[in-house]
Amino acid sequence: MNSLIRHKGWTWGFRTTVLLYFVILIVLPILGVYYNSFSLGFGAFAEAVGDPIAWKSVLLTLKLAVIATLINVLLGTMIAWVLIRYKFPGKALLNSLVDLPFALPTAVGGLMILLLLGPGSLIGGLAESLGLPIVFHQPAIVIAMVFVTFPFVIRAVQPLLEELDASEEEAAYTMGAKPSRVFLQIILPSMLPGMISGGMLAFSRALAEFGAVVLVAGNIPGRTLVSSVFIFGEVESDNPVGAAAVSILLLTLSFLILWLISLLQMRGRRS
């Protein structure tokens, strides 16, 4: 069997299949977006990108994605720390629930937020009575983004904590180092690559979120209309050039984020 797989014909066939898969499912759709955005010329592209509603939706998406990413980095690092360093009843269940946003349709996640925090719910009604509405406002969008990107930081930090040599911490404590100093000088530098790469992935994923956001955002231009919902509206309005132009901005930003993650991972391997 091994000799059959190593045969040049099989090797060429495997490589060709992988390349075709990559080209058909990834490269061609991306090229199609770029082509459609410039199909009417650069002037139409610039006009679509310069549209105040489109620009405000992109800026709002960036702002809320940054907030969601910061929350995820903080909470994700804490949860990863608890899952690795402590033993408690229900730990296995909690560890399996971390991946729930990956398995759950994002629209279901949005519905859960709507039912839990909507105006008709106990929490949502209490928040509205205090003048702090959640659903159909920016806080709901941030919550939706945090939900769908929840696992990234946790799963990036966990293996780094598992690989951390406990003898370094013990040696530091033996030499009289305080817990805060041990954390800042030994533990945090080990977790930092996972926090950064996981945070970047969470940010990139939050930029493109649609299913959960569309159910809880008010879709008010300049206030709660995020770029993914704006793109959907442009497609429904038979304006593919406008939708593709905004898509290019998000797509290019995602490419840059993935390139930075690869760069960080390469530097981490070298060090």
Side-chain angles (χ1 to χ4, degrees):
M1 183 66 181
N2 289 336
S3 61
L4 182 63
I5 293 176
R6 290 172 186 167
H7 190 272
K8 290 184 179 181
W10 281 93
T11 303
W12 183 86
F14 284 136
R15 291 177 180 175
T16 304
T17 302
V18 171
L19 287 174
L20 284 175
Y21 178 87
F22 182 78
V23 169
I24 293 173
L25 293 184
I26 299 177
V27 176
L28 289 181
I30 292 174
L31 291 178
V33 172
Y34 278 91
Y35 172 77
N36 277 287
S37 62
F38 292 102
S39 61
L40 299 180
F42 183 78
F45 169 79
E47 183 180 352
V49 172
D51 179 24
I53 297 178
W55 192 241
K56 286 179 181 178
S57 71
V58 172
L59 292 178
L60 179 65
T61 304
L62 290 173
K63 182 185 79 171
L64 299 182
V66 167
I67 296 173
T69 300
L70 293 176
I71 294 173
N72 259 329
V73 169
L74 178 61
L75 294 180
T77 303
M78 293 172 60
I79 293 172
W81 176 271
V82 170
L83 288 175
I84 296 299
R85 292 299 180 103
Y86 297 99
K87 294 182 179 179
F88 53 89
K91 176 181 175 180
L93 177 62
L94 177 60
N95 191 44
S96 62
L97 287 177
V98 167
D99 294 322
L100 182 62
F102 285 155
L104 197 68
T106 55
V108 176
L111 180 61
M112 290 165 54
I113 297 171
L114 184 63
L115 296 176
L116 180 64
L117 304 176
S121 66
L122 178 62
I123 300 176
L126 180 61
E128 290 223 0
S129 65
L130 296 174
L132 300 171
I134 301 175
V135 174
F136 308 128
H137 292 78
Q138 293 183 14
I141 300 175
V142 174
I143 293 172
M145 288 180 173
V146 169
F147 175 78
V148 298
T149 60
F150 181 67
F152 287 107
V153 176
I154 299 174
R155 294 312 188 203
V157 172
Q158 271 185 311
L160 298 179
L161 284 173
E162 290 175 346
E163 295 172 1
L164 185 62
D165 190 359
S167 62
E168 296 183 15
E169 295 180 58
E170 295 172 359
Y173 286 125
T174 303
M175 296 175 66
K178 296 181 179 180
S180 59
R181 187 174 182 181
V182 173
F183 178 80
L184 292 174
Q185 294 188 354
I186 297 177
I187 300 175
L188 184 59
S190 300
M191 294 192 300
L192 197 57
M195 294 168 62
I196 294 174
S197 62
M200 286 182 173
L201 287 173
F203 177 73
S204 181
R205 178 67 181 83
L207 288 178
E209 177 51 32
F210 172 78
V213 168
V214 71
L215 294 178
V216 299
N219 302 334
I220 302 173
R223 295 177 58 187
T224 58
L225 180 63
V226 294
S227 54
S228 59
V229 181
F230 173 82
I231 292 170
F232 177 74
E234 291 298 289
V235 172
E236 287 212 317
S237 301
D238 196 23
N239 183 19
V241 174
V246 176
S247 299
I248 275 186
L249 295 178
L250 301 180
L251 190 60
T252 304
L253 186 57
S254 296
F255 275 141
L256 291 174
I257 292 172
L258 292 175
W259 177 76
L260 286 173
I261 293 173
S262 299
L263 187 63
L264 288 172
Q265 289 176 344
M266 288 175 61
R267 288 186 176 180
R269 292 192 193 102
R270 290 174 183 172
S271 60

PDB file of all heavy atoms in Angstrom, residues 94-104 150-151 155:
ATOM      1  N   LEU A  94     -17.450  21.485  30.639  1.00  0.00           N
ATOM      2  CA  LEU A  94     -17.111  22.873  30.295  1.00  0.00           C
ATOM      3  C   LEU A  94     -16.138  22.916  29.122  1.00  0.00           C
ATOM      4  O   LEU A  94     -16.276  23.741  28.211  1.00  0.00           O
ATOM      5  CB  LEU A  94     -16.504  23.578  31.513  1.00  0.00           C
ATOM      6  CG  LEU A  94     -16.037  25.025  31.286  1.00  0.00           C
ATOM      7  CD1 LEU A  94     -17.199  25.906  30.848  1.00  0.00           C
ATOM      8  CD2 LEU A  94     -15.399  25.589  32.558  1.00  0.00           C
ATOM      9  N   ASN A  95     -15.169  22.007  29.133  1.00  0.00           N
ATOM     10  CA  ASN A  95     -14.182  21.969  28.057  1.00  0.00           C
ATOM     11  C   ASN A  95     -14.836  21.623  26.719  1.00  0.00           C
ATOM     12  O   ASN A  95     -14.441  22.138  25.660  1.00  0.00           O
ATOM     13  CB  ASN A  95     -13.099  20.949  28.389  1.00  0.00           C
ATOM     14  CG  ASN A  95     -11.915  21.043  27.447  1.00  0.00           C
ATOM     15  OD1 ASN A  95     -11.437  22.127  27.125  1.00  0.00           O
ATOM     16  ND2 ASN A  95     -11.430  19.901  26.991  1.00  0.00           N
ATOM     17  N   SER A  96     -15.834  20.750  26.748  1.00  0.00           N
ATOM     18  CA  SER A  96     -16.532  20.390  25.504  1.00  0.00           C
ATOM     19  C   SER A  96     -17.462  21.515  25.052  1.00  0.00           C
ATOM     20  O   SER A  96     -17.661  21.719  23.851  1.00  0.00           O
ATOM     21  CB  SER A  96     -17.323  19.096  25.696  1.00  0.00           C
ATOM     22  OG  SER A  96     -18.315  19.249  26.691  1.00  0.00           O
ATOM     23  N   LEU A  97     -18.020  22.275  25.992  1.00  0.00           N
ATOM     24  CA  LEU A  97     -18.929  23.362  25.634  1.00  0.00           C
ATOM     25  C   LEU A  97     -18.193  24.533  24.988  1.00  0.00           C
ATOM     26  O   LEU A  97     -18.835  25.353  24.322  1.00  0.00           O
ATOM     27  CB  LEU A  97     -19.674  23.860  26.883  1.00  0.00           C
ATOM     28  CG  LEU A  97     -20.770  22.948  27.433  1.00  0.00           C
ATOM     29  CD1 LEU A  97     -21.357  23.529  28.701  1.00  0.00           C
ATOM     30  CD2 LEU A  97     -21.869  22.742  26.393  1.00  0.00           C
ATOM     31  N   VAL A  98     -16.886  24.598  25.176  1.00  0.00           N
ATOM     32  CA  VAL A  98     -16.109  25.674  24.575  1.00  0.00           C
ATOM     33  C   VAL A  98     -16.267  25.669  23.058  1.00  0.00           C
ATOM     34  O   VAL A  98     -16.331  26.728  22.422  1.00  0.00           O
ATOM     35  CB  VAL A  98     -14.622  25.551  24.972  1.00  0.00           C
ATOM     36  CG1 VAL A  98     -13.741  26.463  24.126  1.00  0.00           C
ATOM     37  CG2 VAL A  98     -14.447  25.889  26.445  1.00  0.00           C
ATOM     38  N   ASP A  99     -16.353  24.478  22.476  1.00  0.00           N
ATOM     39  CA  ASP A  99     -16.436  24.356  21.016  1.00  0.00           C
ATOM     40  C   ASP A  99     -17.861  24.443  20.493  1.00  0.00           C
ATOM     41  O   ASP A  99     -18.085  24.285  19.283  1.00  0.00           O
ATOM     42  CB  ASP A  99     -15.815  23.026  20.564  1.00  0.00           C
ATOM     43  CG  ASP A  99     -14.325  22.976  20.832  1.00  0.00           C
ATOM     44  OD1 ASP A  99     -13.669  24.010  20.660  1.00  0.00           O
ATOM     45  OD2 ASP A  99     -13.829  21.900  21.210  1.00  0.00           O
ATOM     46  N   LEU A 100     -18.826  24.698  21.365  1.00  0.00           N
ATOM     47  CA  LEU A 100     -20.224  24.758  20.932  1.00  0.00           C
ATOM     48  C   LEU A 100     -20.468  25.790  19.835  1.00  0.00           C
ATOM     49  O   LEU A 100     -21.194  25.500  18.868  1.00  0.00           O
ATOM     50  CB  LEU A 100     -21.134  25.036  22.132  1.00  0.00           C
ATOM     51  CG  LEU A 100     -22.637  25.068  21.840  1.00  0.00           C
ATOM     52  CD1 LEU A 100     -23.107  23.704  21.328  1.00  0.00           C
ATOM     53  CD2 LEU A 100     -23.419  25.468  23.088  1.00  0.00           C
ATOM     54  N   PRO A 101     -19.898  27.005  19.909  1.00  0.00           N
ATOM     55  CA  PRO A 101     -20.122  27.967  18.813  1.00  0.00           C
ATOM     56  C   PRO A 101     -19.644  27.482  17.454  1.00  0.00           C
ATOM     57  O   PRO A 101     -20.153  27.941  16.423  1.00  0.00           O
ATOM     58  CB  PRO A 101     -19.313  29.200  19.270  1.00  0.00           C
ATOM     59  CG  PRO A 101     -19.286  29.099  20.739  1.00  0.00           C
ATOM     60  CD  PRO A 101     -19.192  27.631  21.035  1.00  0.00           C
ATOM     61  N   PHE A 102     -18.666  26.555  17.421  1.00  0.00           N
ATOM     62  CA  PHE A 102     -18.219  25.996  16.150  1.00  0.00           C
ATOM     63  C   PHE A 102     -19.272  25.064  15.548  1.00  0.00           C
ATOM     64  O   PHE A 102     -19.426  24.984  14.324  1.00  0.00           O
ATOM     65  CB  PHE A 102     -16.919  25.216  16.328  1.00  0.00           C
ATOM     66  CG  PHE A 102     -15.709  26.094  16.498  1.00  0.00           C
ATOM     67  CD1 PHE A 102     -14.590  25.616  17.170  1.00  0.00           C
ATOM     68  CD2 PHE A 102     -15.673  27.379  15.986  1.00  0.00           C
ATOM     69  CE1 PHE A 102     -13.458  26.415  17.318  1.00  0.00           C
ATOM     70  CE2 PHE A 102     -14.556  28.182  16.130  1.00  0.00           C
ATOM     71  CZ  PHE A 102     -13.442  27.701  16.794  1.00  0.00           C
ATOM     72  N   ALA A 103     -19.993  24.346  16.417  1.00  0.00           N
ATOM     73  CA  ALA A 103     -20.962  23.359  15.949  1.00  0.00           C
ATOM     74  C   ALA A 103     -22.355  23.943  15.769  1.00  0.00           C
ATOM     75  O   ALA A 103     -23.142  23.436  14.975  1.00  0.00           O
ATOM     76  CB  ALA A 103     -21.017  22.183  16.932  1.00  0.00           C
ATOM     77  N   LEU A 104     -22.661  24.996  16.491  1.00  0.00           N
ATOM     78  CA  LEU A 104     -23.998  25.567  16.480  1.00  0.00           C
ATOM     79  C   LEU A 104     -24.156  26.555  15.330  1.00  0.00           C
ATOM     80  O   LEU A 104     -23.287  27.397  15.110  1.00  0.00           O
ATOM     81  CB  LEU A 104     -24.253  26.281  17.807  1.00  0.00           C
ATOM     82  CG  LEU A 104     -25.691  26.603  18.184  1.00  0.00           C
ATOM     83  CD1 LEU A 104     -26.460  25.310  18.457  1.00  0.00           C
ATOM     84  CD2 LEU A 104     -25.723  27.505  19.408  1.00  0.00           C
ATOM     85  N   PHE A 150     -15.830  32.835  20.485  1.00  0.00           N
ATOM     86  CA  PHE A 150     -15.443  32.437  21.838  1.00  0.00           C
ATOM     87  C   PHE A 150     -14.315  31.405  21.896  1.00  0.00           C
ATOM     88  O   PHE A 150     -13.395  31.535  22.712  1.00  0.00           O
ATOM     89  CB  PHE A 150     -16.695  31.912  22.553  1.00  0.00           C
ATOM     90  CG  PHE A 150     -16.479  31.484  23.967  1.00  0.00           C
ATOM     91  CD1 PHE A 150     -16.162  32.412  24.943  1.00  0.00           C
ATOM     92  CD2 PHE A 150     -16.604  30.151  24.336  1.00  0.00           C
ATOM     93  CE1 PHE A 150     -15.963  32.016  26.261  1.00  0.00           C
ATOM     94  CE2 PHE A 150     -16.419  29.751  25.636  1.00  0.00           C
ATOM     95  CZ  PHE A 150     -16.096  30.688  26.611  1.00  0.00           C
ATOM     96  N   PRO A 151     -14.307  30.352  21.061  1.00  0.00           N
ATOM     97  CA  PRO A 151     -13.308  29.287  21.252  1.00  0.00           C
ATOM     98  C   PRO A 151     -11.882  29.643  20.813  1.00  0.00           C
ATOM     99  O   PRO A 151     -10.937  28.968  21.224  1.00  0.00           O
ATOM    100  CB  PRO A 151     -13.848  28.140  20.383  1.00  0.00           C
ATOM    101  CG  PRO A 151     -15.247  28.508  20.045  1.00  0.00           C
ATOM    102  CD  PRO A 151     -15.297  29.988  20.035  1.00  0.00           C
ATOM    103  N   ARG A 155      -8.638  27.885  22.688  1.00  0.00           N
ATOM    104  CA  ARG A 155      -7.956  26.771  22.044  1.00  0.00           C
ATOM    105  C   ARG A 155      -6.533  27.130  21.603  1.00  0.00           C
ATOM    106  O   ARG A 155      -5.710  26.235  21.394  1.00  0.00           O
ATOM    107  CB  ARG A 155      -8.765  26.295  20.833  1.00  0.00           C
ATOM    108  CG  ARG A 155     -10.117  25.686  21.180  1.00  0.00           C
ATOM    109  CD  ARG A 155     -10.008  24.678  22.296  1.00  0.00           C
ATOM    110  NE  ARG A 155     -11.258  23.951  22.513  1.00  0.00           N
ATOM    111  CZ  ARG A 155     -11.594  23.366  23.631  1.00  0.00           C
ATOM    112  NH1 ARG A 155     -10.767  23.440  24.676  1.00  0.00           N
ATOM    113  NH2 ARG A 155     -12.735  22.719  23.768  1.00  0.00           N
TER     114      ARG A 155
END
